[in-house]
Amino acid sequence: MALIFITGNSHSAAMRKGLSLLEGDLHQLASTVRFEIFGLGSDFALDDGFFREAGKYLLLNSGHLHEARFTRLPPDPMPFACGFCLPQWHEFSWSASWKLEAGGSPINTPYAEISAVQMRKAFETKKRHSLRALVYLKEQRHNIFAIECPYPFKHRTDSDSWDLPTVLAADNFCRQLFRSICKESGMPLVRVPEHCLDGDGFMKPEYSAGKDDKFHGNAKFGETMLREILKMDCVIDGVRE
Amino acid sequence: MKLSEHPYRSQPEKAYWSKAVSVKHPLDIDQWYEPKFEIGRKPIATAGSCFAQHIGRVLRNSGYRFLDVEPAPDFLPAELHEEFGYGMYSARYGNVYSSRQLLQLIKQALGEFSPEESSWNLGQGVVDPFRPTIESEPFANEAEMRASRIHHLNRVAELFSRVKVFVFTLGLTEVWASRQDGAVFPLCPGTAGGSFDGGRHHLLNLTVRDVVQDLVEFIHRVRGINRGVKILLTVSPVPLVATATANHVVVATQYSKSVLRAAAGELCQRFAFCDYFPSYEIISSPPLRGQFYNPDMRTVSNFGVEHVMRQFLKAHPALSAGPTAKQDLAGATIDAMKIHCDEELLSGFGPA
């Protein structure tokens, strides 16, 4: 039986919730695949040095074991494949959206014009630990893949002054950046499927964790992403075994 | 025979070399500076050649109302701030080495001047010729660079309208300029972007008259929008990295510093709102025996920075209730090697 282990930031919670919706289908695959899903904590935790490199593994530093039930990655027993919900960029892109407000209302703030280079370096610097974790495990020849976070939800803009195109453009900038980083390092990436998006390119509301949660997907989103994971080349070999 | 009274009789000890210098350990020489005005809680801003970064850092850490009109965006990690020109000065203008550059800056900020040579290609991107190293990599395209510049100049205009004490450190007299419209560049075209063309670019070596005139024009403009602003001038004690004249670099340095020092003196004599802090003398004058320079005899050691800023804080005591001046200076010392000096780029262009 192929064990697919999923961990990472707070978006891994949606995967865990989605697992129950997938149970029927998994039942058919029960003899070949099993998911284990445990989050490591929010990105605030993962932006810090949350691990140390130890041979073929990453050892989690104490203080970064939020809800983790393991102390090393990949955990024991060795999974067939490991998926990481990393990194979460919404908070970052939200701030960075100032850059894309050229001529917009915040032009008189000190933050109006930020170059693409600044955004890229800020992203790479802030996310260097989580990106390094992925790359290191890849270098150790583990079967690793990354999982995208949801696109922005429209209701997220309700309490903020940013216009929708700005938010989307900022998110797109960071998303493309993460995709290119994955591509450069040969990291398979589970993308959010197009059918989850509305005509404007935002997440459809039916995937939202709720009005009070502006960032996370719900069980349906988690289920969708798990189905995408099952289609991954790096996973499908295990499912077929 | 009784000698008549004369002005020297009433001069204080510090006026006499034998009392103020000869009998003192170099580090005990004091009373370098008597301020014309207090800084107090007035909004203060800095610009100038790279040595000015030390002054700004100490002011910032000493409880002064240090203006920073272009702070780093909150998502940019602190370790990247300097790489992108944040926190170096009161706005992201980078090093303003010359009086001509300062005058040009305020003209641009006030919409009086728009240079024809307004972008330099570098690799696949473009840089701003008037602050070519403000970003660690080129802008993606001209539109992005222009948007950044427009924002920057708007912030500079605000800075000049708010500042009450403007500290400017004069650094160089050798300036590269456009033959087309007189625009000046902080670095020679071709060294950090663009390309040098003798038909379009030429070297100016400013005279005392030039520097005074530039600064008078600057003062006229800044006080035109901000009547009460006071000016505190300093001269950088850091010698030239390289000269483009036919002179030896030491001779060129001496010319440059002498011109700048003379111009600063003339302005301070002329204007009551203009003062001079002698960082140049405190570091480089003969009684100090060159002890504040690193072995390259050009860059100023941490110890030297600490010493000069201690003299500054004696005259303008730290206002912060928290960190003491000593702690502030320690901070300046730790950071002394971190200042961003794009003039250093020139050191890589000499003969092999």
Side-chain angles (χ1 to χ4, degrees):
Chain A
M1 177 179 293
L3 172 61
I4 313 296
F5 181 80
I6 292 174
T7 188
N9 61 19
S10 56
H11 290 280
S12 55
M15 312 285 144
R16 198 164 57 195
K17 290 172 189 165
L19 199 51
S20 59
L21 299 181
L22 200 64
E23 268 175 358
D25 291 356
L26 281 180
H27 187 69
Q28 296 175 358
L29 298 169
S31 59
T32 57
V33 67
R34 180 168 65 88
F35 279 100
E36 276 191 7
I37 305 171
F38 297 110
L40 278 171
S42 71
D43 259 18
F44 293 112
L46 303 187
D47 285 348
D48 203 351
F50 65 95
F51 64 86
R52 58 191 167 89
E53 296 166 9
K56 284 187 71 67
Y57 299 95
L58 297 178
L59 294 182
L60 296 174
N61 292 335
S62 58
H64 289 93
L65 304 177
H66 182 53
E67 59 173 293
R69 302 181 188 180
F70 45 91
T71 55
R72 72 171 206 201
L73 291 171
D76 190 28
M78 181 71 78
F80 176 78
C82 281
F84 285 81
C85 299
L86 293 171
Q88 200 253 50
W89 53 70
H90 283 176
E91 209 52 54
F92 167 77
S93 65
W94 202 251
S95 303
S97 62
W98 271 301
K99 177 252 183 302
L100 297 145
E101 281 279 343
S105 56
I107 193 75
N108 292 323
T109 72
Y111 305 101
E113 291 309 323
I114 309 296
S115 70
V117 171
Q118 272 188 58
M119 290 176 68
R120 175 172 60 77
K121 289 212 164 186
F123 181 87
E124 289 171 352
T125 303
K126 267 194 161 180
K127 305 300 175 193
R128 64 184 182 275
H129 297 295
S130 44
L131 293 172
R132 174 62 190 161
L134 282 170
V135 169
Y136 183 78
L137 291 174
K138 181 79 180 162
E139 286 171 357
Q140 302 309 310
R141 298 182 175 278
H142 292 297
N143 190 8
I144 301 294
F145 60 94
I147 305 167
E148 277 192 353
C149 300
Y151 283 74
F153 290 97
K154 261 182 186 160
H155 72 273
R156 186 175 166 183
T157 61
D158 291 348
S159 59
D160 296 286
S161 57
W162 313 119
D163 58 58
L164 298 181
T166 299
V167 170
L168 210 54
D171 180 82
N172 186 56
F173 180 92
C174 297
R175 194 172 294 269
Q176 295 304 329
L177 189 55
F178 184 51
R179 286 177 180 175
S180 67
I181 289 168
C182 287
K183 190 174 180 184
E184 282 167 20
S185 57
M187 180 77 57
L189 175 67
V190 184
R191 296 186 181 203
V192 176
E194 294 282 316
H195 65 77
C196 293
L197 307 180
D198 66 15
D200 296 328
F202 284 83
M203 291 296 293
K204 288 177 179 170
E206 65 218 57
Y207 294 104
S208 168
K211 274 187 181 175
D212 296 332
D213 187 330
K214 296 183 173 186
F215 306 101
H216 297 103
N218 58 12
K220 186 173 178 181
F221 174 73
E223 179 204 4
T224 303
M225 295 305 281
L226 290 174
R227 289 190 188 280
E228 293 298 309
I229 289 167
L230 288 170
K231 294 180 203 166
M232 298 281 289
D233 287 343
C234 63
V235 171
I236 211 161
D237 292 343
V239 177
R240 281 177 182 153
E241 277 177 2
Chain B
M1 186 175 66
K2 189 181 177 187
L3 292 172
S4 65
E5 286 299 313
H6 54 78
Y8 287 97
R9 282 197 185 281
S10 57
Q11 282 293 80
E13 271 194 6
K14 71 173 184 180
Y16 292 91
W17 193 276
S18 59
K19 293 173 181 169
V21 178
S22 301
V23 296
K24 289 196 174 181
H25 186 280
L27 297 180
D28 292 334
I29 298 172
D30 57 3
Q31 300 181 68
W32 286 97
Y33 166 57
E34 272 183 39
K36 275 189 186 176
F37 47 80
E38 281 187 10
I39 297 174
R41 297 275 174 198
K42 298 183 188 79
I44 188 167
T46 59
S49 76
C50 40
F51 192 78
Q53 291 169 47
H54 296 304
I55 297 173
R57 194 166 284 147
V58 169
L59 291 174
R60 190 190 295 261
N61 293 337
S62 302
Y64 287 99
R65 283 182 66 192
F66 186 82
L67 287 177
D68 187 351
V69 295
E70 265 185 299
D74 52 9
F75 66 84
L76 194 70
E79 65 209 85
L80 296 179
H81 289 185
E82 191 181 305
E83 195 175 313
F84 288 95
Y86 292 107
M88 287 167 59
Y89 299 108
S90 295
R92 287 179 78 210
Y93 26 64
N95 295 314
V96 180
Y97 289 111
S98 67
S99 55
R100 191 65 50 87
Q101 209 187 326
L102 179 67
L103 176 59
Q104 178 175 277
L105 178 66
I106 195 167
K107 282 181 171 178
Q108 283 186 288
L110 299 180
E112 292 179 23
F113 180 55
S114 185
E116 289 184 33
E117 188 170 332
S118 59
S119 71
W120 283 349
N121 292 327
L122 182 62
Q124 300 298 309
V126 296
V127 297
D128 185 341
F130 308 103
R131 41 181 198 150
T133 63
I134 203 66
E135 301 247 327
S136 56
E137 292 178 28
F139 290 99
N141 51 52
E142 190 152 337
E144 187 181 65
M145 185 271 290
R146 284 184 188 280
S148 175
R149 180 195 291 159
I150 289 167
H151 173 70
H152 164 64
L153 292 174
N154 285 338
R155 306 311 298 173
V156 172
E158 187 194 313
L159 176 74
F160 286 136
S161 69
R162 285 173 55 196
V163 63
K164 292 300 172 199
V165 179
F166 181 66
V167 184
F168 182 60
T169 299
L170 293 149
L172 299 177
T173 55
E174 291 186 23
V175 181
W176 289 97
S178 163
R179 292 186 193 275
Q180 291 171 292
D181 57 4
V184 292
F185 310 104
L187 287 170
C188 179
T191 59
S195 57
F196 181 75
D197 176 351
R200 289 190 296 130
H201 306 123
H202 68 127
L203 176 72
L204 297 175
N205 202 1
L206 302 177
T207 63
V208 175
R209 179 181 291 182
D210 291 331
V211 176
V212 168
Q213 189 173 324
D214 287 343
L215 291 178
V216 167
E217 284 191 40
F218 167 77
I219 287 168
H220 174 72
R221 281 173 175 78
V222 73
R223 287 178 70 85
I225 55 171
N226 185 356
R227 193 169 175 73
V229 66
K230 292 178 167 39
I231 310 292
L232 180 55
L233 296 173
T234 67
V235 172
S236 167
V238 179
L240 277 65
V241 162
T243 179
T245 68
N247 292 325
H248 189 283
V249 67
V250 174
V251 177
T253 294
Q254 203 60 33
Y255 169 83
S256 192
K257 302 300 177 185
S258 303
V259 163
L260 297 174
R261 178 63 190 92
E266 185 175 331
L267 289 160
C268 291
Q269 284 184 32
R270 195 188 293 189
F271 300 118
F273 55 79
C274 191
D275 200 2
Y276 173 74
F277 173 68
S279 55
Y280 173 67
E281 288 85 344
I282 296 170
I283 294 291
S284 67
S285 61
L288 279 303
R289 298 160 169 83
Q291 65 176 301
F292 294 135
Y293 287 100
N294 287 318
D296 64 1
M297 293 309 291
R298 180 177 172 272
T299 53
V300 177
S301 67
N302 297 347
F303 181 55
V305 171
E306 204 174 297
H307 183 72
V308 78
M309 293 318 298
R310 189 174 294 116
Q311 309 311 311
F312 183 89
L313 289 174
K314 272 185 193 171
H316 295 288
L319 299 179
S320 55
T324 64
K326 192 175 177 184
Q327 284 168 322
D328 298 328
L329 290 171
T333 301
I334 290 164
D335 291 339
M337 300 305 287
K338 290 187 189 169
I339 61 167
H340 186 89
C341 220
D342 42 22
E343 186 200 9
E344 302 276 0
L345 278 171
L346 297 178
S347 61
F349 291 106

